[in-house]
Amino acid sequence: MDESSSVWLVVGLGNPGPEYAGNRHNVGFMVADLLAERMGGKFKRAGKAQAQVVEGRIGPPGPASRRVVLAKPMSFMNLSGGPVSALRDFYKVPLAGVVAVHDELDIDYGVLRLKRGGGDNGHNGLKSMTKAMGAEYHRVRFGIGRPPGRMQVADFVLKDFGSAERKELDYFVDRAADAVECLVTEGLERAQSAYNS
């Protein structure tokens, strides 16, 4: 996946609709929105695929920059695999060129972990993607921590970030966007050593 002609498909996972916009489960959308802003693009409906996309380049001008399709599936989280698979087919992206940006319960808030392949850890968006295309895609896992007390996981991920979390949210989203750019332009090992905290 290091030829400059290859296209990367970077997918921010979330749920569509304003009522979900600030949810912990939507941090993938937040990172995708920031990357689109950096690329100078606006999300548009993608043909028949149930997704919004921005096409552009990531990285420094010249041979080091990479062609990227940023995507936000407009199905709900647990149906993400269909739209992602359709986009992957349309843009002819190898599985190793797919990056899912998603919330992760088993990592402390704001901590990032990058990896390729592995299980879904109960995350319905990943479960759907893996079922649709296999597990060997890249993941940028954004820690949201575990729910407090006896709160159900489903309630926790569908709540907005708390006021203390929101103070640092922009910084953490910015760092996650940097990690995606590093992964795409410099590879997984370099991105892991820079961002896996």
Side-chain angles (χ1 to χ4, degrees):
M1 261 314 293
D2 48 10
E3 322 85 70
S4 51
S5 60
S6 293
V7 185
W8 285 79
L9 175 59
V10 176
V11 182
L13 292 180
N15 284 309
E19 67 272 34
Y20 298 105
N23 289 181
R24 292 181 177 94
H25 224 17
N26 270 42
V27 77
F29 274 17
M30 296 173 198
V31 175
D33 286 338
L34 179 58
L35 286 165
E37 201 178 296
R38 289 181 182 184
M39 285 165 47
K42 290 223 181 309
F43 278 100
K44 297 183 183 74
R45 194 88 187 171
K48 291 183 183 149
Q50 215 181 344
Q52 291 183 349
V53 298
V54 174
E55 295 180 53
R57 297 191 84 84
I58 279 180
S65 83
R66 297 284 178 262
R67 275 186 65 211
V68 170
V69 177
L70 283 177
K72 296 193 296 188
M74 291 288 117
S75 58
F76 281 87
M77 177 72 87
N78 57 353
L79 300 172
S80 302
V84 175
S85 188
L87 290 171
R88 192 180 148 230
D89 291 347
F90 181 79
Y91 289 101
K92 299 179 174 50
V93 179
L95 194 51
V98 176
V99 182
V101 185
H102 63 91
D103 57 304
E104 179 66 64
L105 286 160
D106 286 334
I107 303 174
D108 290 340
Y109 175 61
V111 173
L112 295 176
R113 291 268 192 282
L114 286 78
K115 70 173 191 171
R116 182 171 163 204
D120 55 53
N121 207 17
H123 192 289
N124 289 330
L126 297 181
K127 198 176 288 183
S128 179
M129 282 181 62
T130 298
K131 189 175 176 196
M133 25 182 232
E136 285 304 301
Y137 52 89
H138 290 90
R139 297 105 191 273
V140 175
R141 303 155 71 207
F142 186 111
I144 60 168
R146 300 294 300 180
R150 293 191 173 165
M151 185 188 288
Q152 294 295 313
V153 165
D155 295 334
F156 179 69
V157 299
L158 293 176
K159 278 201 174 4
D160 287 1
F161 285 100
S163 55
E165 292 171 321
R166 279 200 299 272
K167 289 190 177 97
E168 297 178 295
L169 184 59
D170 286 349
Y171 167 76
F172 288 140
V173 167
D174 196 64
R175 194 163 179 272
D178 291 346
V180 171
E181 291 183 348
C182 184
L183 169 62
V184 167
T185 57
E186 299 183 53
L188 180 61
E189 280 181 33
R190 179 70 62 88
Q192 284 174 325
S193 64
Y195 293 97
N196 276 13
S197 30

